[in-house]
Amino acid sequence: MAGDLTLWYDKPAEKWTEALPVGNGYMGAMVFGGGAAERIQFNEDTLWRGKPHDYASTEAHQHLGELRRLVAGGETARAVELGRRVFLGVPRRQMPYQPFGDIFLKFPGHETPAAYRRELDLASATARVRYRVGGVEYGREVFASHPDRMVAVRLTADRPGSLTTTISLGTPHKLAEVSAPSDHTLVLRGRVQEDGVSFEARLHLRVNGGTVVREPTALAVTGADAIELFLVTATSYRDYEHIDADPTMRCDERLARVTGRAFDELRAAHLADHRALFGRVTLEVGSGDQDRLPTDARLKALKSTGLAGDPGLAALHFQYGRYLLIASSRPGSQPANLQGVWNELLDPPWESKFTTNINFEMNYWPAEVANLGECAEPMVDLIDDVVASGRRTARAYYGARGWVLHHNTDLWRGTAPVNNIDGIWPSGGAWLCWHLWERYRFSGDRGFLERRAYPVMREACEFFLDTLVEEPKTKWLVTSPSFSPEQGTLTVGPAMDMQIIRALFAATSESARILGVDGDLIDQLDAARARLAPDQIGRHGQLQEWIEDVDVPNNAHRHMSPLWALYPGDDINPERAEVFTAAKKLLAWRGDGSTGWSYAWRMPLWARVGDGDFAFRQFDGLLQRKTLPNLFDLCGPFQIDGNFGATAGVAEMLLQSHLRAGSDALSPVIDLLPALPKAWPAGTIGGLRARGGFEVDLAWRDGVLTRAVIRSGLGQPCRIRYAGRSVEWRGDAGTSIALDGSLKVVP
Ligand code: FUC
């Protein structure tokens, strides 16, 4: 039915990519739902290979001059050879995120369950399984509680004494062992490597009725009425420079909070916590016959109906992105990595780290607009770490002040270039700064700007003030050496760098003005900004990706780097008509997506140029071609960025607030339904956020806005626009205004 936010299936998951994810920010778990054999694979976000380590090569700086000379002189092959030899991190690859372990449950006789259903209910963040065997209905319920930092499992049967199962723990790690110290505890203890992170998981068992027999590494329960399991995990990770915490003590503490409390009480705490975040945003864009199908069948049916034929699935996918962010990124946890918090592989694709030339940032695109601002806190914390390690890299590679982060970081907060020469790209940290500035623009939180954002942005600026070089022909200031992610070869001043640095300098200078500090720096930034290589329009009328006009028409590369200033940036907009038109040309050249995230990036980009139908086409492509049965996004393999990017993309189709009504950063132009696709003629969205502390609810019919409610959180002025009309509004903090489709005030 419409609005039912449930993924469901009529058979167990066979593969990991069919299992259903739960998470509490720190821990993730994948529920398979097998009849005779249940597997719940779990993770903890601080379990990584490696140990505290600085990847910066201390000799790199000696070669910077030569590298720059080779790049500037067009001696690319030699530059590439030198770059690879002397300018990459040590070692060249960062460390991978690790799986933790598995809970296994065996149910003899349950090989052919009847009336089977497994589901993930997004509104309650609960995975459930139910089926019948021999006239008994069996149920399982799994949730990951953020307030109690554990995963809870409850097994039930509708006839007393019917639950018989063997419970064990497993792990893919070699240096680990499982024990059963009591008839209500299983312990998994180990290390990732001899000198690396140590870990412990504790599974606590509570049974109603029946008997428990302790085996060397398992607990066998016979004839119980109900069984409850509580899983806590811990590692020795304290921060990126220390791995000396005691996982046993941590497990003791975590378990002590849980063991004395009733399941219902723990569940109530979980529900209250989850609903407070998840319930802030609602979306309805219609319903159809496919609402009645299991989720995997729904995905397959798209081949004949397209996503337009299943609007309920679009809404489900949008909310799934919000669900996944809540489950993988909470204050105090690690941020969502390439796989969020879910990973079963010792060698996951791209090490499942934080890739900053698009993927990591995309994870956080929905945070502010989709009303989950606090879920972005782990990203802000990570930024503080990479400022510290990035200072060392700035010195070691460039002899510069400030801090730099290249195109990847990991648990150890590596900031040096890694992997290959495309890692020699200095703008990852500056892109992260954009998120700090945007967080201020959405929240208006001056304390955040002063204490968290501005100091970090100022130091990022210092790095570029020290390292930008003058391009000899044009005299523009450019980055060197650099790379346009992940195309071409070593270069200077690719459009993306210049756009990100322009945005950084502008935001930092404006922040300094708001805070009334650093007058000299403001002057320096404004002067340098005026000399940065500008957005250029090439001979085909396209926005140029590089300083030279060498773009190849219809290059459909997955990366949309030169369109950064169109989205997520805001500098390319209809007020700069020529550049805006050139950006559209390049966007059209890029065509449809390829990887999941590249479909997802095209969604907000097309929304920014007002083409809801083409944005929708990318959403459709993402779901038809790059989505797994559990609605996880595919890059090639599973990679979560496309889930988050699509959620941000849908928001961007329905509401935008990039421009300003005047000069104040907190006084936005709020565009209502700027890119509504024909596929969604009627619908409602509630609770999206606009910059300046606003919250917006919209309703439309026959493709036309019928009602908008805008609530002001900060008392800032705004201009509200729709279909060629606009109205100015300034309401006190806490007040709201309701408008009809002609923007007339209505009750
Ligand atoms: C970038 C992308 C790849 C992949 C990787 C994690 O390098 O170009 O497609 O997403 O990150």
Side-chain angles (χ1 to χ4, degrees), residues 338 349-360 407-408 419 422 485-486 557-559 595-598 635-637 639 641:
L338 286 173
W350 291 286
E351 294 84 24
S352 193
K353 31 186 213 296
F354 309 99
T355 302
T356 49
N357 66 10
I358 172 62
N359 321 86
F360 181 47
H407 94 308
N408 265 291
N419 296 1
D422 58 332
E486 299 171 3
H557 199 271
R558 61 190 183 284
H559 281 268
T595 61
W597 63 258
S598 79
C635 175
Q639 193 168 291
D641 41 20

Side-chain angles (χ1 to χ4, degrees), residues 248-263:
T248 300
M249 243 169 66
R250 285 179 161 179
C251 280
D252 284 344
E253 284 162 18
R254 285 168 196 170
L255 210 49
R257 283 211 302 262
V258 172
T259 43
R261 288 156 68 201
F263 192 90

Side-chain angles (χ1 to χ4, degrees), residues 214 244 450 603:
R214 178 148 65 105
D244 55 358
E450 186 177 350
M603 290 172 64

